[in-house]
Amino acid sequence: MRLLSANFLALLFMCAIGSVFYVWSALESRLERHKRGFAIPGAALPADLSSKTFRALLAVPVAPQRAHLGGRNVTDHTVGSRHYHLNGYNKRRSARKGGSVKLGGAPLEDGVFWSGRLEELLPVGFSEEDAREWREKAREYRIVKLETGCGRISNQLATFEDGSKACVRYGINADQVQGEILTYYLARLLDITNLPPLVLSQLSTDSEQWQAVRTRVEGLQWSDRAVVSLTQWVSNLTGVVTPAPLRQESSGLHPGLKQLWNQSAAELLELMQWTDLIMLDYLTANFDRLVSNLFSLQWDSRIMERDTNNLLRTPRGDLVFIDNEAGLVHGYRVLDMWEKYHKTVLSSVCVFRRTTAERVAELHRRRDARTRLMEVYRDSEPLSFHLGFLSDEHAALLQDRIDTLHRHILHCKAKYNQL
């Protein structure tokens, strides 16, 4: 009897230890995701991956065949906490209409496009001129301080000599920084200006830019000559909840949705930015945003009611697309795991910004997405040859997704053109 009691107590003790370990693991994971409510993928993945966390997915070994320009170490920028600074976020844009102001006309035109009036009201997020000025500064100014504040300890918040800040991404592998910077330039090709500007920098504690933080760099055990990214830091951002038309209980965001005619200009402008976001995330196969929320519905039916991963809002109401590391290179490498969710999210949208759709149509018609992306990347980034570019396989996959997106837009036009 005593032996039975002892065994029973031992079993209870092991269960208690297991429960503590489970809770601690969950807390640790949530902290690592910057307390932004990210539900870890895992439930419906293949058996050999079902227990892996998102960070484990990012660490999936890189295929032996690398990109053309040569790869390098790198980064995991981002501004995990909602303090992604900015010096005058889009100073030259027009004022955003208030939340209760009505559009004063139909929100849509030609069936599936946001109206020209509405698109005129959409402010430029990070203008090309401001981005160019910031990139020039970020390449030249000395970094005088490195500290935590951009999520994981492997990322650092850098302060420049003029007091401005940037997030330094030093990540698991080169896929992350490639995905981040190539997504930024792809967005520029599509005229999507919601992504903060970033530049590449090569770590060298002997250089004038990094010399003042040599001790900190050495303490972090960052590899000398590694390529990292510096991303403009924007402050005073808040979380963004998935709008009702894009939640699982809705029929989707389409021209037949009567709700569109009752919303304010500000609400419609936010929905317009969501449609740009969904198009961009589909092209880059970025699973670490709305797709991950959709995946998490399997065990969390209220995930869509919480803040969306890697999406923040400025005090003026503009959306900021952050942490795009999972796009393109890595997103393509694990595409088989996530493609059905990408297709589901894309199929939920049949309203588009005309300018974005026209850029997609042009890339489809000319079939030169690889060439144009490489050109703008190389022309804008002196360290592009050190970091590398898309492999032939991934470049072909990008063109294929552009073609698929274009066909989806045409399908929506055919379906709703008579409304």
Side-chain angles (χ1 to χ4, degrees), residues 204-377:
S204 175
T205 53
D206 293 328
S207 68
E208 184 176 357
Q209 183 169 45
W210 293 94
Q211 192 172 33
V213 291
R214 174 198 292 266
T215 302
R216 178 66 172 172
V217 170
E218 292 175 348
L220 291 166
Q221 298 183 334
W222 285 358
S223 301
D224 197 45
R225 311 304 295 175
V227 177
V228 300
S229 65
L230 305 175
T231 304
Q232 187 176 16
W233 189 62
V234 186
S235 60
N236 301 320
L237 301 184
T238 56
V240 182
V241 176
T242 305
L246 296 175
R247 297 186 191 179
Q248 70 276 20
E249 65 271 13
S250 172
S251 61
L253 181 56
H254 55 79
L257 192 65
K258 294 181 179 179
Q259 176 184 343
L260 294 178
W261 272 257
N262 298 320
Q263 294 193 308
S264 68
E267 291 169 332
L268 291 170
L269 287 169
E270 180 166 317
L271 285 175
M272 181 189 291
Q273 294 173 84
W274 270 95
T275 58
D276 272 355
L277 174 67
I278 288 173
M279 293 169 76
L280 180 65
D281 279 355
Y282 176 79
L283 292 180
T284 63
N286 187 343
F287 56 85
D288 193 19
R289 200 142 33 213
L290 191 56
V291 163
S292 66
N293 279 3
L294 180 63
F295 176 83
S296 299
L297 283 171
Q298 297 172 92
W299 64 85
D300 185 355
S301 62
R302 303 188 66 180
I303 186 68
M304 294 294 188
E305 299 174 25
R306 289 188 278 278
D307 291 350
T308 303
N309 233 21
N310 299 328
L311 182 64
L312 300 173
R313 182 189 289 111
T314 71
R316 303 182 63 141
D318 306 317
L319 301 187
V320 182
F321 308 167
I322 67 168
D323 292 16
N324 299 290
E325 62 179 25
L328 290 170
V329 187
H330 184 71
Y332 288 174
R333 194 149 53 83
V334 297
L335 185 58
D336 288 346
M337 303 178 194
W338 300 97
E339 181 65 336
K340 67 177 181 179
Y341 300 103
H342 288 300
K343 290 180 178 178
T344 299
V345 171
L346 180 62
S347 66
S348 71
V349 173
C350 258
V351 179
F352 314 97
R353 188 165 66 97
R354 187 185 296 273
T355 300
T356 313
E358 288 175 348
R359 297 292 180 91
V360 170
E362 182 182 5
L363 290 171
H364 163 74
R365 182 176 63 256
R366 296 175 57 173
R367 306 197 60 76
D368 61 350
R370 179 186 187 276
T371 300
R372 295 184 64 187
L373 180 57
M374 180 182 288
E375 286 177 352
V376 68
Y377 172 49

